[in-house]
Amino acid sequence: GLSVELAARRAALLDFIDEGTGFAWVAVSDETFRLSNFHASYKNSWKPPPIWKNRLAWTLDLGLDAQQSLVRFSDSSMDLTFGFTFKVHEFIDVKIESVSRNAALWRYYPGLFGLDPDLFPPVNPVEDILRSFNFFESSETDRRESLFKLKSLSASMVHDLHDWDLTASLSLAPELDSETSEYYFKPFFSVLLAWRAVPEFKSSYKLDGEVEEW
């Protein structure tokens, strides 16, 4: 469902001022008790009825988590989570999930803070989200310009072996290469075999880059 939170605290009123060498935050009042932060989150799942004698089922998950500072408007973000789960009864569970983050949520409504539209033109949120998922023609330009950046992509599989569970998971996360100043996806892969009767009795295998661990 939906949850909303509005917080207040003692804080000075700040203004985003051009000091000649660039914009900076400057206090323009003494500290008083004022509204300081807005936070909203939304989670929902779509679960169609199972098919094939209730043996096949799948779920779509959507999650939104947004926060906006009312003292320093540049402190804002939104996490967008998409998930897909597919289950075959007593055989296998597969889950895929992606998380994208917008670290400049205020760009959708700069007029709310009295910003010059010539310096900070508002961004259409629907077009921005579509650009972040454009993997077709001109996709690289659209993904670079989009405010949403992919933070993680993961896939996991749980195979039912009666008294045992075999779990394999793969996750990808962007990491900055200090030499080229470019991001690349770093993979993390793990395999876990666990005995249901004694969960503490298990064996795992982890592959991290060129390092293998048991």
Side-chain angles (χ1 to χ4, degrees), residues 90-107:
E90 294 185 345
F91 179 64
I92 195 171
D93 292 359
V94 178
K95 183 176 182 179
I96 301 174
E97 184 179 84
S98 70
V99 179
S100 300
R101 168 167 290 187
N102 177 350
L105 188 61
W106 62 273
R107 290 289 305 279

Side-chain angles (χ1 to χ4, degrees), residues 36-38 67-76 113:
S36 61
N37 193 74
F38 173 82
Q67 70 86 22
Q68 172 65 62
S69 171
L70 304 179
V71 176
R72 189 194 301 258
F73 68 79
S74 60
D75 294 344
S76 64
F113 302 101

